Amino acid sequence: HLSELLNEKAISLSLNARDKESCIKELVQLLEAAHGVNTRGEILSKVLQRESMMSTGIGNGVAIPHGKTRLLDHLVAACGVSPEGMEFETMDGEPATLFILLVSPESLRGPHVKALANVSRLLKEETVRNSLRQSGSPEQFMATLREAEGRFF
């Protein structure tokens, strides 16, 4: 579950970024600070490299940038909301407002794919997306996420 890969410190309800690359940088900084890791740019490099192959903007205002690093031993996540939205080369051409960054160890295959699939399935639900976007605090974001995971998994 996404809620198990997060903590309140890994959630920003008002990203400062206004473009794709600065959004990914901000999410990586958030993730590293919240989870107490410093990969000296490796996570950022891997996520940007993955993004250059194909956009992770899945549509409906959602983007799920992700990558793998040898410097982690477990899957971690960070989430961000951009109330104004930003261009993210999404599949539907709409601005992205909800961002889920997933980073896993290079050695981890199955759990990484499963986490991506679970997040994608959860965020297909418009009510879940809207509730997450409208969260008033990181604690409320986590509570909303846990409640949604309880309903859909």
Side-chain angles (χ1 to χ4, degrees):
H1 292 288
L2 177 59
S3 62
E4 295 164 1
L5 310 177
L6 277 173
N7 61 52
E8 276 91 4
K9 292 186 216 114
I11 299 166
S12 170
L13 300 176
S14 56
L15 291 171
N16 295 314
R18 295 289 166 256
D19 63 68
K20 186 182 209 176
E21 188 170 334
S22 54
C23 176
I24 290 172
K25 282 181 185 163
E26 192 173 344
L27 287 167
V28 168
Q29 288 167 348
L30 186 64
L31 179 131
E32 289 191 343
H35 294 286
V37 293
N38 179 357
T39 64
R40 292 178 184 73
E42 181 172 321
I43 289 175
L44 179 60
S45 166
K46 298 282 186 173
V47 174
L48 288 173
Q49 183 182 356
R50 165 64 189 82
E51 195 66 38
S52 71
M53 289 188 267
M54 186 176 136
S55 178
T56 56
I58 62 171
N60 293 316
V62 177
I64 312 175
H66 55 276
K68 294 183 173 204
T69 175
R70 56 190 165 70
L71 301 174
L72 288 178
D73 62 0
H74 61 286
L75 196 54
V76 290
C79 295
V81 176
S82 172
E84 302 80 34
M86 71 185 77
E87 166 54 40
F88 212 88
E89 299 170 37
T90 55
M91 288 183 188
D92 59 7
E94 295 298 313
T97 53
L98 184 60
F99 303 88
I100 315 292
L101 172 66
L102 290 173
V103 182
S104 68
E106 281 180 357
S107 58
L108 209 58
R109 295 263 185 280
H112 180 82
V113 173
K114 189 174 182 193
L116 284 169
N118 285 349
V119 169
S120 189
R121 191 164 70 212
L122 193 63
L123 297 179
K124 275 187 170 56
E125 300 296 327
E126 187 175 4
T127 55
V128 173
R129 293 192 309 269
N130 290 339
S131 296
L132 290 172
R133 285 185 191 112
Q134 292 161 7
S135 297
S137 67
E139 293 77 16
Q140 187 183 352
F141 188 100
M142 286 290 281
T144 299
L145 189 58
R146 286 190 184 107
E147 189 269 328
E149 287 171 342
R151 271 190 304 158
F152 295 104
F153 294 112

